[in-house]
Each structure stands twice: as structure tokens, then as C-alpha cells.
Amino acid sequence: MDPIGRALTGTCAFRLMPSDDLAPAPSTAVLSQLASQAWNLAYTWEHASGGEQRGGLVIGSPGEDGQVEAAWFDSWHQQPAIMRLTGNSTESGASLLGTYAEEWGWTITLEADGDTVRMTMCNVIPDSALAQAPPDAPPMSAGPYDVMVAEWTSRAG
């Protein structure tokens, strides 16, 4: 079954800090093709204290070199501006990277397989942030850590 244009349901697990456990909650999404040159993923997820959140990812079709550009917004993670991401198309989706606050970053991996769509978002901690952390902060290391891990499945209606 093809998930394109179908209502998708599943879970989105979220955590704020690398030392926190991922907390799964109900989530929905719709993956659609926008003409021949772009794809759109619109999703919802639940924040424990902030309630329902919404986000979207628009990914352009890959160029001859496999490079893609994307735009991302999320009512909790990325606001008020839309973040521009770049990356590569993969056999089953896309792998993207964007930066914010000069050195911080996000990676987003999107995969579609049969009737399932998966998205993993990682926050990328720069080395400079470790030097600025308070002495009583939980231990963490520079680099990416999973912040959101979502999996949605389409169901024939």
C-alpha cells in the first residue's frame, strides 16, 4: 500500500535533553506530492505540557547529484521562521541538515517503506555548548542526539 495522500497514524516519541527518556505519544501525518518537484509531510505530535503541536517538511525533488533542499517548521521546535535544510536523497527518502544559533543544528531523516513513514529528528550540540554548560548539568557530549522519533502507518479506509 502506498502512503502518499493517505492519513497516517502512529506515534512520535519526544525528549528535550539527551539524558531524558523518549516519551511516545499519539501522532498523525499526511505525506503528499506537490507537483513533480516537491513532497510535503504535514504532522502533529503531543508535547507533555504544551499539548498538540504541528509541523511540516517540504522537500524538493533531488537534482542530478542527489542533493535536495527542504523547508521545515514546527510549532514547538522551529518558530517563528522556517528553517532551510539541505541534504541528500536516499533510496527510501531524504537525509537533511540545517543550522541555527550559528553552531547548533538539526538533522532530519525521512524514510518511506511500504505503508510506513518514519522521521527521526536530531538536535546537534556544538562543542562550544559543552564549555558553557553549568557544572551541575547532566553529562552530555557534542554531536547529534534523537529528539523526536516518529513512525506512522497508512490504513485503508
Side-chain angles (χ1 to χ4, degrees):
M1 182 182 306
D2 187 349
I4 306 299
R6 293 187 180 273
L8 306 170
T9 58
T11 60
C12 182
F14 166 78
R15 68 177 171 181
L16 182 60
M17 300 300 293
S19 57
D20 297 340
D21 290 330
L22 284 163
S27 180
T28 63
V30 175
L31 180 64
S32 56
Q33 188 169 5
L34 305 172
S36 63
Q37 59 270 58
W39 297 88
N40 181 60
L41 176 71
Y43 61 87
T44 66
W45 64 282
E46 293 285 330
H47 185 275
S49 62
E52 184 178 88
Q53 304 297 317
R54 295 182 176 274
L57 186 63
V58 177
I59 304 171
S61 293
E64 290 180 18
D65 59 0
Q67 296 288 301
V68 294
E69 292 185 46
W72 173 55
F73 64 94
D74 185 288
S75 57
W76 199 85
H77 295 290
Q78 181 57 37
Q79 56 169 308
I82 291 174
M83 178 180 279
R84 181 179 178 267
L85 302 112
T86 58
N88 297 301
S89 63
T90 65
E91 191 172 307
S92 59
S95 179
L96 305 162
L97 171 65
T99 58
Y100 69 97
E102 296 179 29
E103 297 180 291
W104 289 77
W106 279 104
T107 66
I108 301 176
T109 303
L110 186 65
E111 300 173 322
D113 178 23
D115 65 349
T116 302
V117 176
R118 293 178 191 84
M119 179 177 65
T120 302
M121 295 182 180
C122 298
N123 198 9
V124 182
I125 301 171
D127 287 323
S128 63
L130 301 179
Q132 298 170 2
D136 60 345
M140 67 178 113
S141 54
Y145 72 94
D146 292 353
V147 172
M148 288 180 52
V149 178
E151 182 172 303
W152 305 284
T153 304
S154 65
R155 301 281 186 226

